[in-house]
Amino acid sequence: MTDAPRSEPTHPAIEAVMREQALAVGYAPAAARDGFAALLDLDHQLASILQSTTEPMIGQMRLTWWYEALEKLDQGPAPAHPVLQRLAATALPGGVRGGDLAPMIEGWEALLDDGEPLDDDRISRHAEARGGILFASIGRLLGVDDLGALGVAWARADLATHLTDKGVAGRAGDVAMAELDASLDRKKPKAARGLTGLAVLAREGLRHPDRSPGHPLRAARLAWHGLTGR
């Protein structure tokens, strides 16, 4: 494996999401917050690769590096990259394995521009590999099972709000809304409130596309959920 790349430049839109998600992390149990945040940092880092890559081959090479680096977390010291070192320090002690996280890369590979239309199958592969694994891994830190499906819905909703093809975005958003409604209607433990808060924000993004991350009404909705679970 080649030397660790520098951190990808963070797109301003991702920075706004990071600030909003930091509020959701605050509703998690204190012992899990650092690992929760580190796993979100990984997701942001992978998103930044897609945001900053114009050549699919270069994007593939960067993602391959991350796949190998995540697997190496289980074999020895973390590679010299701050995101990987935070994962090793905070998420791995909570039972998360780098080998379990590596398949997240396949979710981002599904979005690489290969000249073909982004169809429903590729969107589902992205949502399952990205959101399903991310939420299940954070759930392990929280001591809460069965959060993968919520993560799939979250990732599908997040992608739908960023697609420029209105037809594809509309179909993905409709599926995500139904999935989010079904999952959020089922009561979750209080320890999961940080993750369910992310799902609530994703649903707000579909319901109110004019309210971007950081909007006061989104913050108020998250605070209400954090206090009441509703």
Side-chain angles (χ1 to χ4, degrees):
M1 187 172 67
T2 58
D3 292 339
R6 291 178 298 177
S7 294
E8 297 293 334
T10 304
H11 192 279
I14 295 177
E15 289 183 347
V17 171
M18 291 170 69
R19 290 191 293 270
E20 188 175 70
Q21 288 183 347
L23 299 176
V25 171
Y27 291 106
R33 288 174 192 164
D34 287 344
F36 190 160
L39 286 162
L40 290 178
D41 282 347
L42 172 63
D43 186 62
H44 300 146
Q45 185 69 33
L46 300 178
S48 292
I49 291 175
L50 270 290
Q51 289 277 3
S52 62
T53 298
T54 56
E55 293 292 335
M57 183 61 70
I58 299 299
Q60 182 66 67
M61 292 171 60
R62 291 174 176 171
L63 289 172
T64 297
W65 187 92
W66 276 94
Y67 189 100
E68 295 174 354
L70 287 167
E71 288 193 319
K72 283 184 175 292
L73 287 178
D74 302 326
Q75 303 165 15
H81 189 287
V83 171
L84 294 167
Q85 293 174 344
R86 284 196 294 272
L87 288 171
T90 64
L92 269 63
V96 176
R97 297 178 63 255
D100 295 332
L101 297 173
M104 285 179 65
I105 303 302
E106 298 170 9
W108 292 102
E109 287 175 338
L111 300 185
L112 286 173
D113 184 5
D114 58 2
E116 296 296 324
L118 186 63
D119 58 20
D120 295 345
D121 177 66
R122 288 171 64 183
I123 291 173
S124 292
R125 284 192 283 123
H126 167 75
E128 290 164 9
R130 177 197 179 192
I133 292 172
L134 179 65
F135 272 49
S137 298
I138 296 172
R140 191 168 297 122
L141 298 179
L142 301 174
V144 181
D145 296 325
D146 302 323
L147 293 174
L150 182 65
V152 173
W154 166 82
R156 194 191 305 273
D158 182 67
L159 179 61
T161 61
H162 290 88
L163 294 175
T164 56
D165 185 315
K166 299 303 183 184
V168 177
R171 290 197 304 274
D174 288 345
V175 173
M177 183 68 80
E179 291 174 339
L180 287 168
D181 284 345
S183 189
L184 289 170
D185 279 348
R186 295 191 289 272
K187 188 173 180 60
K188 302 287 193 302
K190 185 176 181 179
R193 212 160 279 181
L195 272 183
T196 54
L198 294 183
V200 166
L201 288 173
R203 187 166 63 180
E204 286 295 294
L206 294 174
R207 286 176 172 172
H208 305 287
D210 57 318
R211 299 176 187 172
S212 58
H215 192 286
L217 291 178
R218 286 173 60 94
R221 180 67 184 89
L222 175 62
W224 176 249
H225 177 77
L227 291 171
T228 68
R230 296 195 292 272

